[in-house]
Amino acid sequence: MTNENQTNDDEDFDYGCECAMTLLNEPTEDCLNDLIDELDEDGMIATEVVYGILATILMSITSEEGDTEEH
């Protein structure tokens, strides 16, 4: 893998994280539909974007579980 590919992968991952944070901050059907439309402009979503979304959501779920156990 070249540095250029790695940079694109990192940017896609970061973009996926941003998309997930947007959805987590505004969990509405309209927000989800807007993100899907934006992500699917080319008919396909980059794998790294999906990884970023999943990682952010999993970290959010994990942190919420930790908060619940402390109370």
Side-chain angles (χ1 to χ4, degrees):
M1 179 181 279
T2 65
N3 285 342
E4 183 178 318
N5 286 343
Q6 184 63 41
T7 301
N8 289 339
D9 292 348
D10 290 345
E11 289 174 5
D12 287 344
F13 183 84
D14 291 343
Y15 180 67
C17 293
E18 289 174 25
C19 290
M21 288 306 298
T22 299
L23 187 58
L24 289 169
N25 289 329
E26 187 184 342
T28 63
E29 187 175 345
D30 288 340
C31 184
L32 176 61
N33 289 334
D34 290 346
L35 283 174
I36 290 171
D37 290 343
E38 185 177 328
L39 288 171
D40 198 31
E41 286 177 354
D42 300 331
M44 136 179 199
I45 300 171
T47 303
E48 290 75 17
V49 173
V50 175
Y51 289 163
I53 292 170
L54 292 174
T56 302
I57 291 172
L58 288 173
M59 287 189 300
S60 173
I61 291 170
T62 303
S63 70
E64 287 176 7
E65 288 175 356
D67 291 343
T68 304
E69 291 174 6
E70 291 175 5
H71 292 234

